[in-house]
Amino acid sequence: MRRGTLDPSPADSSAPPRSDWTTLRRLVPYLWDYRARMALALIFLVAAKAANVGVPLLLKELVDQLALPAGDPRALVVVPLGLLLGYAGLRFSTTVFTELRELVFAKATHGAARRIALEAFEHLHALSLRFHLERQTGGMTRDIERGTRALQSLVSYSLYTIVPTLVELGLVLTLLGSRFDMGFVWITLAALLVYGTFTIGVTEWRTRFRREMNELDSKANARAVDALLNYETVKYFNNEAFEARRYDEGLDAYRRAQIKSQGTLSLLNAGQQFVIAASLVAMLWRATSGVVARELTLGDLVMVNALLIQLYIPLNFLGVLYREIKQSLTDLGRMFGLLEREREVADRPGAPALAVAQGTVRFEHVGFAYHPERPILHDVCLEIPGGKTVAVVGPSGSGKSTLARLLYRFYDLPQGRITIDGQDIREVTQDSLRRAIGIVPQDTVLFNDTIGYNIAYGRPGASPAEVEAAARAAHIHDFIAAQPRGYETAVGERGLKLSGGEKQRVAIARTLLKNPPILIFDEATSALDSANERAIQTELASAARGKTALVIAHRLSTVVDAHRIVVLQHGSIAEQGTHAELLAQDGVYARMWRLQQQGSDGAA
């Protein structure tokens, strides 16, 4: 890949293209729950348009009555006053019925948008770790944001503009055909046909420019979010200018696409206005000729003009509406594509909850690879007896952390199986499995909230006293108490306001608060100094007492008291036994121990 470019996420590029009808069919169930409100909104819509079309009729009567002979009292008092009041009443009725329509249907629009956004959020959490390792956060969040906004736009444009325009068109054509001759109807229909054909044709042609704009917008946003999330790395390597240059490349590409899109939009608008002007000239010429020939009254001319103006005002936005509807369908389609993305790891129908008694964990002939060409684990057989602590050590890349990910069922095994008390973890619900396991990960990332919130995340609903007890056990209470806001102290984005050791102790505290029967410590003390590490090790040993614990470690001094130590090398078990037994074997573990001891002596 050329430096400075950004390939689309595999998660996005793999989505097949969707037809507009497929997207609409997918949308219907979300709106069908509000069908009663939709029906009532349509009633208000028709009433508003009927009142709107009645306005030119009143104008005709008003003009014709004002043309009465001079001195006729009806022209001065009775008829004009009544018509003026009727005119005001119709205008007001149009507004009232329109607002009632929007008020009635607002719950449907916002309710459906809320439901889709929530489903997308829940589904993204249900997708596998593989998907989230491949995705681009900025682009994906922009897709969800545009998708939920597109639903509201789609409903708004269709129910509030297109359907009302069609209703009004039907009323106008009926009125022209019944009050005058069919020539007015044919001119109107011909103009609408030319207008619609031109608008749809040009809009289809320029859709690719709008699609290119959206793709470039997502890429530029993804670059910005990625750079901001990695703020410290950018600073470490003094690459602010480099990141700004990459972001500007995306913005410049987006600007060029915007200019192309604006040029084609100007062409579309000019063509639309030409068609509208030509049809207006034809209609008014015919009406004026009728007035001159005494076949039509002056009020008829005013009515025809008013009807056409009312009809063409919404039609003037047809190109924008068509484009926005097409874009809304595209944006909805992308979000529905996320919703329809198959879960790599899914519960089987009727899967029971995990029942933990002893908590014995077994890895039986486990083989695994993140990518087929690079296997990670090879025929791993490992047992962690209930209530015991088993440590896994080995060089980086040997597959230690992969064991934790597989036990959490972030991936399903292509080879072998993992059981807890004899239950295959693929046969039980993921929710019950993960409730039974607690982990202190090597790389601790915190929510951008308070310290108290991040600790309480281990067991939502825990009391402040329980949160404090967990913090004390993790040796972080004194640090929290020393802060001006105590447990309400904000930790910043991903916990960047805390040191590595403080973040790790928060992670330990929330795992202790969760208090599950099975524990995983993945380099749980790697960010702590020696004094705190010894204190925390004592607390972790106490917390693991009576529980099944898998300890993944690089520093061998932290696992010497484990009931059994397993040495992984190149994805296979090279040795296992107690600390003393492994030293006696004088193999891989013994060599690692001597190297680390020499390093400690040198550092001392």
Side-chain angles (χ1 to χ4, degrees):
M1 182 175 68
R2 184 175 60 86
R3 186 180 183 184
T5 63
L6 183 65
D7 290 339
S9 164
D12 295 333
S13 61
S14 61
R18 302 171 60 91
S19 71
D20 292 342
W21 287 112
T22 301
T23 301
L24 286 172
R25 283 196 300 270
R26 187 75 168 78
L27 176 62
V28 167
Y30 295 96
L31 296 175
W32 187 246
D33 292 341
Y34 302 95
R35 53 190 177 276
R37 285 182 172 270
M38 292 177 64
L40 184 58
L42 288 174
I43 292 173
F44 286 136
L45 183 156
V46 173
K49 286 306 172 184
N52 202 39
V53 171
V55 170
L57 289 173
L58 274 180
L59 284 176
K60 166 188 161 48
E61 295 299 327
L62 180 60
V63 172
D64 287 343
Q65 290 297 331
L66 289 175
L68 289 173
D72 191 324
R74 294 177 301 165
L76 296 176
V77 182
V78 180
V79 176
L81 180 60
L83 289 175
L84 288 173
L85 290 174
Y87 177 85
L90 285 176
R91 285 291 187 191
F92 182 69
S93 297
T94 300
T95 301
V96 168
F97 285 129
T98 299
E99 294 302 323
L100 285 173
R101 176 201 67 195
E102 295 190 7
L103 182 63
V104 165
F105 203 64
K107 184 175 181 180
T109 305
H110 299 306
R114 173 192 174 192
R115 180 180 162 192
I116 290 178
L118 180 61
E119 282 190 19
F121 182 78
E122 291 176 337
H123 186 71
L124 287 174
H125 276 98
L127 292 177
S128 71
L129 181 62
R130 193 190 310 274
F131 170 84
H132 287 278
L133 291 175
E134 293 175 347
R135 65 170 166 77
Q136 290 176 355
T137 304
M140 188 182 67
T141 53
R142 187 62 65 91
D143 285 342
I144 296 175
E145 175 191 344
R146 280 200 297 250
T148 52
R149 191 172 60 239
L151 183 144
Q152 300 180 47
S153 299
L154 183 63
V155 173
S156 175
Y157 291 138
S158 59
L159 187 65
Y160 299 161
T161 305
I162 293 181
V163 174
T165 301
L166 292 176
V167 170
E168 188 167 13
L169 175 62
L171 292 173
V172 168
L173 291 177
T174 301
L175 193 59
L176 291 175
S178 60
R179 286 293 188 107
F180 310 109
D181 59 70
M182 291 299 293
F184 289 93
V185 176
W186 296 127
I187 291 175
T188 304
L189 288 175
L192 290 174
L193 179 62
V194 173
Y195 185 94
T197 302
F198 173 77
T199 298
I200 292 174
V202 174
T203 304
E204 283 289 346
W205 167 63
R206 65 184 300 271
T207 295
R208 65 188 180 93
F209 298 111
R210 182 58 183 259
R211 187 179 298 114
E212 181 184 355
M213 276 177 53
N214 281 343
E215 290 174 354
L216 292 172
D217 181 34
S218 292
K219 286 183 180 180
N221 188 62
R223 286 179 177 178
V225 171
D226 196 36
L228 291 173
L229 287 176
N230 292 282
Y231 169 85
E232 287 181 287
T233 304
V234 173
K235 288 292 184 182
Y236 290 152
F237 293 94
N238 198 32
N239 274 340
E240 296 93 337
F242 172 73
E243 290 297 339
R245 189 165 58 252
R246 291 181 72 241
Y247 183 47
D248 187 52
E249 287 175 4
L251 291 178
D252 186 56
Y254 180 53
R255 177 190 60 83
R256 292 196 299 270
Q258 282 180 307
I259 293 173
K260 288 181 184 177
S261 180
Q262 183 58 49
T264 57
L265 177 60
S266 298
L267 174 64
L268 174 63
N269 289 337
Q272 288 174 329
Q273 291 306 310
F274 177 79
V275 175
I276 289 175
S279 62
L280 279 173
V281 168
M283 291 286 281
L284 291 178
W285 173 82
R286 189 175 183 86
T288 304
S289 299
V291 172
V292 171
R294 305 294 181 185
E295 296 173 355
L296 299 177
T297 66
L298 193 59
D300 290 328
L301 176 62
V302 171
M303 184 180 74
V304 169
N305 184 63
L307 285 173
L308 291 178
I309 289 175
Q310 287 188 178
L311 183 61
Y312 281 129
I313 285 176
L315 282 178
N316 197 35
F317 298 100
L318 179 61
V320 176
L321 291 174
Y322 181 76
R323 185 195 70 223
E324 291 299 328
I325 286 175
K326 289 285 290 183
Q327 186 57 47
S328 294
L329 288 169
T330 300
D331 292 340
L332 267 176
R334 288 177 70 89
M335 190 166 69
F336 283 142
L338 282 174
L339 279 170
E340 292 166 3
R341 189 179 180 94
E342 291 186 11
R343 301 179 182 184
E344 183 180 339
V345 179
D347 289 341
R348 297 186 180 179
L354 176 69
V356 180
Q358 301 300 318
T360 299
V361 176
R362 288 191 180 91
F363 291 78
E364 301 176 3
H365 303 286
V366 169
F368 180 75
Y370 293 106
H371 301 285
E373 65 275 10
R374 192 166 65 89
I376 299 295
L377 298 176
H378 308 274
D379 196 33
V380 173
C381 294
L382 170 64
E383 179 178 341
I384 310 173
K388 303 296 183 182
T389 297
V390 170
V392 177
V393 300
S396 298
S398 59
K400 302 187 300 297
S401 294
T402 299
L403 293 176
R405 288 178 169 181
L406 293 177
L407 181 56
Y408 253 97
R409 204 186 164 199
F410 286 153
Y411 302 91
D412 271 339
L413 288 174
Q415 176 185 336
R417 68 174 192 155
I418 301 173
T419 65
I420 298 177
D421 287 341
Q423 302 158 89
D424 192 326
I425 62 173
R426 292 171 296 190
E427 304 294 335
V428 299
T429 61
Q430 296 174 69
D431 179 71
S432 64
L433 170 67
R434 290 166 189 158
R435 285 185 186 279
I437 305 173
I439 185 170
V440 180
Q442 179 178 3
D443 182 19
T444 299
V445 177
L446 304 181
F447 292 97
N448 189 2
D449 210 296
T450 65
I451 295 179
Y453 173 86
N454 277 281
I455 295 176
Y457 200 79
R459 180 155 49 90
S463 67
E466 291 172 319
V467 171
E468 182 178 327
R472 288 182 182 277
H475 288 260
I476 195 174
H477 171 74
D478 292 342
F479 163 78
I480 299 172
Q483 305 304 307
R485 301 192 61 190
Y487 282 84
E488 294 302 310
T489 301
V491 302
E493 188 81 34
R494 298 187 303 135
L496 290 178
K497 290 184 178 181
L498 302 182
S499 69
E502 289 158 357
K503 285 197 297 183
Q504 206 150 31
R505 280 181 282 171
V506 169
I508 292 169
R510 69 182 174 193
T511 300
L512 295 176
L513 181 64
K514 183 178 181 180
N515 193 29
I518 301 171
L519 293 170
I520 300 174
F521 300 118
D522 188 358
E523 303 280 5
T525 59
S526 60
L528 300 178
D529 55 73
S530 299
N532 274 313
E533 181 182 45
R534 284 191 291 271
I536 292 295
Q537 282 293 341
T538 302
E539 294 297 337
L540 292 181
S542 175
R545 190 171 294 115
K547 299 179 183 294
T548 304
L550 171 63
V551 179
I552 297 168
H554 176 71
R555 290 203 290 261
L556 303 185
S557 59
T558 63
V559 299
V560 292
D561 294 325
H563 295 101
R564 188 161 78 257
I565 300 171
V566 175
V567 182
L568 272 184
Q569 192 174 41
H570 306 304
S572 299
I573 295 178
E575 301 169 349
Q576 56 181 311
T578 64
H579 173 70
E581 290 170 348
L582 291 173
L583 288 180
Q585 291 180 24
D586 197 23
V588 177
Y589 181 86
R591 287 195 297 274
M592 292 172 60
W593 176 262
R594 286 194 293 270
L595 285 172
Q596 291 192 12
Q597 290 300 108
Q598 290 170 7
S600 299
D601 294 341

